[in-house]
Amino acid sequence: MAGSHYVAKPLFIAFLSILVAYYLPDLTAGMIERSMPDFPSIEQTKKIDFYEYVQLFSMMLILIFSCWTSFYGIYGLIRYTMFQKHQGKRKLILIIVTYMYMIIGFANTYFLVSYVGDGGDALYKFQNYYKLSQNKETKELMIQKELRVSNSNALFGIKDKLWSGVDTKEQLQLWNSELFNEISEPLPVDFIFKGIEYPEPKIVRYLPDNKISIYTDCLYFSTITIASVGYGDIIPQSGLAKFLVCLETIMGQLLLALGIASAYSGISNTSKNNRMAN
């Protein structure tokens, strides 16, 4: 957490991590869309297994990224408050910078988790609605009772998505663009079944225009998580998302304890110096 200035390096890394997290979906979405399986197909099972491996690998990378940013922030605070004896305003600035660093680090991670989770959710729903539509009685019952396939997104409560699917408004543009602005989500179930009449690559598409709103939600969620507030408007659903929330909460409490200890140490040293001067 150092360099020529004790704040410059963490701020630079935080800014760089934002750029990496924000533009990484743009770099990978094109490859995913080009290789999207055309459901149903002969190679369907093999391709689905491949996507599961890709999703697992992506989750592992995200987890490593999150752990690195978290522990690096804590390590930097311990190193520069405990061992290099920063005093007064410098300690306060270090604590604030470390909080900001960890909030941004986890926000980036939640953003990437949402990107992977939204893609997996869109693929999962398309396949399941397709299978359900093959049974006429089941399809009619679902339309009549407005029954839906459950969400499998990483974070529940984020309105926008990074991938379109059969249950998002974007699929309406394929068959009736005039309805796009007239119908609010969630879509009626009969509209969802209408969407599976189109090939999967046309339905499951990357939505880069939603990046800003989703990243803002992830930044907000990271802030209330590290503060252990948890309003409940955004809820982790996947196992990885729950683990990350637990990790950030623990890190937030550890950071708070270190901050209090550091501030108390600074007050004690100041009082000691004043007594020695007198």
Side-chain angles (χ1 to χ4, degrees):
M1 234 187 189
S4 58
H5 195 275
Y6 64 99
V7 174
K9 187 174 181 179
L11 290 180
F12 172 76
I13 293 177
F15 177 74
L16 184 63
S17 69
I18 292 174
L19 293 179
V20 172
Y22 191 78
Y23 288 106
L24 185 61
D26 296 337
L27 297 175
T28 58
M31 295 183 291
I32 295 174
E33 287 181 319
R34 286 193 296 271
S35 58
M36 188 71 69
D38 192 359
F39 186 85
S41 65
I42 299 175
E43 298 294 325
Q44 169 199 346
T45 304
K46 186 181 298 184
K47 289 186 177 182
I48 291 175
D49 290 340
F50 169 75
Y51 272 86
E52 288 178 351
Y53 284 121
V54 170
Q55 189 175 27
L56 179 61
F57 180 71
S58 302
M59 291 297 185
M60 290 177 62
L61 290 179
I62 291 170
L63 182 59
I64 293 171
F65 179 73
S66 175
C67 291
W68 179 81
T69 55
S70 305
F71 287 104
Y72 183 82
I74 293 293
Y75 160 76
L77 182 64
I78 295 175
R79 179 183 174 189
Y80 280 87
T81 57
M82 301 299 182
F83 298 110
Q84 295 200 4
K85 304 298 181 183
H86 286 299
Q87 301 296 331
K89 292 182 179 180
R90 283 196 171 190
K91 279 193 173 183
L92 178 61
I93 292 173
L94 277 168
I95 294 170
I96 294 174
V97 168
T98 306
Y99 260 110
M100 293 177 58
Y101 179 83
M102 291 185 62
I103 288 172
I104 290 173
F106 274 98
N108 294 339
T109 307
Y110 295 136
F111 179 74
L112 294 175
V113 167
S114 297
Y115 167 69
V116 176
D118 288 349
D121 179 69
L123 201 62
Y124 169 80
K125 286 180 179 177
F126 189 100
Q127 294 161 359
N128 279 274
Y129 277 113
Y130 180 86
K131 293 176 182 177
L132 291 168
S133 68
Q134 303 307 299
N135 188 311
K136 185 177 180 180
E137 294 181 356
T138 301
K139 179 180 177 180
E140 291 178 353
L141 178 64
M142 291 185 68
I143 293 175
Q144 182 181 358
K145 301 293 185 179
E146 285 293 312
L147 302 177
R148 305 171 186 275
V149 174
S150 60
N151 292 319
S152 59
N153 306 83
L155 297 173
F156 177 78
I158 296 180
K159 181 180 178 181
D160 295 321
K161 296 181 179 181
L162 285 168
W163 288 89
S164 67
V166 290
D167 60 337
T168 63
K169 290 178 61 175
E170 285 75 16
Q171 64 105 328
L172 297 177
Q173 295 176 315
L174 292 174
W175 57 280
N176 194 333
S177 59
E178 296 179 356
L179 292 175
F180 183 77
N181 294 321
E182 297 179 5
I183 295 181
S184 59
E185 294 181 308
L187 293 183
V189 177
D190 57 335
F191 283 18
I192 294 176
F193 280 111
K194 182 73 174 179
I196 61 175
E197 298 176 7
Y198 293 85
E200 186 170 332
K202 289 187 177 182
I203 295 295
V204 182
R205 293 175 290 114
Y206 176 54
L207 305 174
D209 293 339
N210 293 339
K211 287 200 302 179
I212 293 179
S213 63
I214 293 175
Y215 188 85
T216 302
D217 286 342
C218 291
L219 189 63
Y220 156 78
F221 179 65
S222 179
T223 303
I224 64 171
T225 299
I226 201 170
S228 300
V229 178
Y231 292 118
D233 49 351
I234 299 177
I235 304 171
Q237 287 198 130
S238 69
L240 178 60
K242 291 178 180 179
F243 174 80
L244 291 171
V245 168
C246 293
L247 180 63
E248 185 176 12
T249 303
I250 293 172
M251 290 296 175
Q253 295 303 308
L254 178 59
L255 186 56
L256 178 62
L258 288 172
I260 293 174
S262 177
Y264 177 77
S265 175
I267 294 172
S268 299
N269 290 335
T270 301
S271 300
K272 182 179 180 180
N273 292 335
N274 289 337
R275 287 195 302 268
M276 291 178 65
N278 293 332

